[in-house]
Amino acid sequence: MESAPNDQRPEHILKLSQEQRRRFLNSFDRVFSDIDGVVWCMEYDIPGVADGYSALQGMGKELSFITNNSVRSMEQYERRFQKLGIKVGESELWHPAQSIVEYLRRIKFDGLIYIIASEPFKSVLRKAGFQLLDGPNEFIKENFGSLAKHIFDREPVRAVILDVDFNLTSPKVLRAHIYLRHPDCLLIHGATDTMLPVGNDLRIIGPGPFQKILVEATGKPGATLGKPGKELGEILLQHYNIRDPKRVLMIGDMLEQDVQFGRQCGFQTLLVLSGGCTLSELRAESSPERLPDYYADSVADLAKLVNDVAKAHV
């Protein structure tokens, strides 16, 4: 079954006919799912999601999770999944720090990295054996002499990585720009979200705008290892030896990060309205690249869909 044509509006999976439901469930073998806004939100777990994933796994679907959130440690993810009763192995959980490690290994990177990210993010790269440089992490006096002391040095940095950093400062961005002036210095992005949903009707600025500053200042587009990065898609396709992307279903709650990512990879896409996108925002979206093939209220709808199809064939 091919993805819905771009000129058609997406259908709610529970409004499909019985035959359409059956064809949909038979049209994919692997599922990639986002986490925040899909499995849980910051303040609460989304009801019924464990049943939805369990129903898919019961049909033999291969399940992996892909998130742009590297602020949580792997141990924190595993504990929260266990609390919900969702079985997820470490090898089936992808976040930008892990994806960047795999990317650096694939390009055989060897050198010093200047990094702007959270401590859990940095720990993943350090554990993988990469040498990191960060900061400045102290207060800087408001004069050029103090600034210059903290952004100019002779460190042989050959890659700059930018992800979510709750302590991001202007000197950090300026220092990154100085390193990136070297023609051989790589620019690598983790999450590129412009806005981060942190609660009901509350969003804060994400790392995306700061990454755009470096892209425009250096002329280097960089490699993006968070959704919707092309480089992340290439890694997943190779890692799982995916030969027919149409037989993959991408589940997410964001039109740009999840749906656009899935579409550019050639996956089918399912938007859930349990997180960062409302029904009115979905209906207002006009870009074909950001229109999902299907939508649902939450992953819990998949359990009902699977059960209804099973009952019809008893």
Side-chain angles (χ1 to χ4, degrees):
M1 175 179 173
E2 297 186 1
S3 298
N6 284 356
D7 59 350
Q8 292 184 8
R9 304 305 298 182
E11 294 185 81
H12 194 294
I13 58 172
L14 296 184
K15 293 183 179 179
L16 298 173
S17 69
Q18 198 65 26
E19 178 59 22
Q20 287 175 323
R21 294 182 183 195
R22 185 190 64 79
R23 291 205 314 265
F24 167 63
L25 290 174
N26 290 334
S27 69
F28 58 91
D29 310 302
R30 173 170 288 281
V31 175
F32 289 136
S33 175
D34 182 34
I35 298 178
D36 291 282
V38 179
V39 183
W40 57 65
C41 292
M42 184 173 291
E43 312 97 329
Y44 59 89
D45 298 328
I46 298 169
V49 296
D51 294 334
Y53 293 122
S54 178
L56 292 176
Q57 290 176 313
M59 294 186 67
K61 312 298 185 185
E62 299 291 334
L63 177 61
S64 302
F65 291 88
I66 308 170
T67 176
N68 274 4
N69 188 347
S70 296
V71 175
R72 290 191 187 94
S73 67
M74 190 65 71
E75 292 74 20
Q76 289 174 317
Y77 274 114
E78 290 177 349
R79 285 197 300 269
R80 193 153 182 182
F81 273 116
Q82 288 175 0
K83 177 185 173 185
L84 288 170
I86 301 174
K87 295 181 179 179
V88 182
E90 186 173 330
S91 61
E92 297 305 327
L93 177 58
W94 292 78
H95 54 68
Q98 176 192 355
S99 303
I100 286 174
V101 166
E102 182 144 344
Y103 175 77
L104 292 173
R105 287 172 173 167
R106 286 178 184 235
I107 65 173
K108 296 180 171 56
F109 178 84
D110 183 21
L112 182 61
I113 298 171
Y114 177 67
I115 187 164
I116 302 174
S118 66
E119 283 304 318
F121 191 111
K122 296 174 196 175
S123 68
V124 172
L125 272 79
R126 289 193 185 103
K127 186 177 179 181
F130 293 101
Q131 185 181 1
L132 305 182
L133 184 69
D134 62 12
N137 298 310
E138 65 272 17
F139 177 78
I140 295 178
K141 294 180 180 179
E142 295 180 344
N143 60 68
F144 183 76
S146 179
L147 176 65
K149 177 183 175 182
H150 288 90
I151 68 173
F152 293 108
D153 60 38
R154 297 182 180 275
E155 296 286 354
V157 171
R158 289 299 172 264
V160 169
I161 295 175
L162 177 57
D163 190 74
V164 174
D165 180 0
F166 293 154
N167 294 291
L168 179 64
T169 61
S170 174
K172 288 183 181 181
V173 177
L174 295 175
R175 190 175 180 185
H177 176 237
I178 296 299
Y179 292 135
L180 287 165
R181 293 173 61 188
H182 192 289
D184 295 330
C185 186
L186 305 176
L187 175 58
I188 300 174
H189 310 297
T192 57
D193 305 55
T194 300
M195 301 296 290
L196 298 174
V198 295
N200 292 333
D201 301 319
L202 177 61
R203 300 181 185 183
I204 60 174
I205 296 173
F210 305 105
Q211 289 159 338
K212 289 179 181 178
I213 289 173
L214 289 177
V215 169
E216 292 176 1
T218 64
K220 296 181 177 182
T224 301
L225 277 301
K227 297 172 295 182
K230 175 175 66 70
E231 291 80 9
L232 173 60
E234 292 171 351
I235 281 179
L236 292 173
L237 289 170
Q238 294 174 23
H239 183 88
Y240 291 105
N241 193 28
I242 297 172
R243 301 190 179 187
D244 186 1
K246 292 188 182 70
R247 295 201 61 80
V248 175
L249 178 67
M250 178 71 211
I251 303 175
D253 68 312
M254 302 289 282
L255 295 175
E256 179 179 2
Q257 280 71 34
D258 300 315
V259 174
Q260 182 174 318
F261 173 70
R263 280 207 170 276
Q264 73 180 12
C265 290
F267 305 153
Q268 295 186 66
T269 53
L270 171 65
L271 178 79
V272 291
L273 303 177
S274 52
C277 181
T278 64
L279 181 58
S280 60
E281 289 173 328
L282 171 60
R283 287 173 173 168
E285 181 58 58
S286 59
S287 172
E289 292 79 14
R290 297 183 182 183
L291 277 177
D293 298 300
Y294 306 95
Y295 74 98
D297 293 339
S298 77
V299 170
D301 286 345
L302 285 165
K304 179 172 176 52
L305 188 77
V306 172
N307 291 335
D308 287 351
V309 170
K311 289 178 181 178
H313 286 79
V314 172

